[in-house]
Amino acid sequence: MIRSTLLYRRLWYAKQRNAKRIHIYSRIVTLLFILAMLMNYVQKNIMEYMADYYEPAMKSRVEALVTDLLSTRFAKDLKYDNITSIAHSKGGKILSIETKNSVLNPISLHIASIVEEEFRKTDGKKLPVAFGKLIGSSLLNDIGPFLLIDIYRHGHTEVDFRSEFIKESVEVTRHRIVVQVKTTIGINAPFLWKKQQLVVEVPVAEAVLTYGAFLN
């Protein structure tokens, strides 16, 4: 093709325009890819650090609150004999042991309400945390940039009383009743979000049962 022809010049200009567009599109795609990889890294690493940073503090907070409720407000109600129903044989041997839901269910609802009320005190509050603390760096422990983290309760709090039978020896079995509190917190940071479930168990009451007490 003769380069001086009109057709050649049109094809040359079209090629140049397309080359510029392809170059711009490739830059945009590359930038989006880098941003996606960065967000993936941050989501997997930084959010895990944030969860590990806050989870122990939140669990301690719930555990302290529940322990205080059990030792003060519900101390009399949660005596072992008051929350268990033991069926005996005619000879006085133990046939079965069950917890009294009529006593424990209202207490479960009350504890859940108190825990949720405690979390409402901090819902929506922004907590500044140094970036160095989140990545576990002692050198950058108190050095910025600071991230504003929002901790809030997500969903409902579940409270259940569970029985545990712990065989300590051939002759001795320990029956322990524990209260289990499950709640989920949301962790918000700029462009990041994560849900974290907290599970706290606190002993309520227990009794030591000997082998001879059970019906064989």
Side-chain angles (χ1 to χ4, degrees), residues 79-103:
K79 298 292 186 181
Y80 182 84
D81 294 337
N82 190 47
I83 60 177
T84 57
S85 177
I86 303 176
H88 294 88
S89 68
K90 292 182 179 180
K93 300 291 185 178
I94 297 176
L95 297 173
S96 64
I97 303 176
E98 296 180 353
T99 54
K100 296 179 180 179
N101 292 330
S102 59
V103 177

Side-chain angles (χ1 to χ4, degrees), residues 24-44:
I24 293 173
Y25 291 153
S26 64
R27 283 191 171 186
I28 293 175
V29 171
T30 302
L31 179 61
L32 292 176
F33 177 76
I34 293 174
L35 288 175
M37 293 296 291
L38 179 61
M39 290 301 295
N40 183 60
Y41 171 81
V42 171
Q43 184 70 27
K44 286 184 177 180

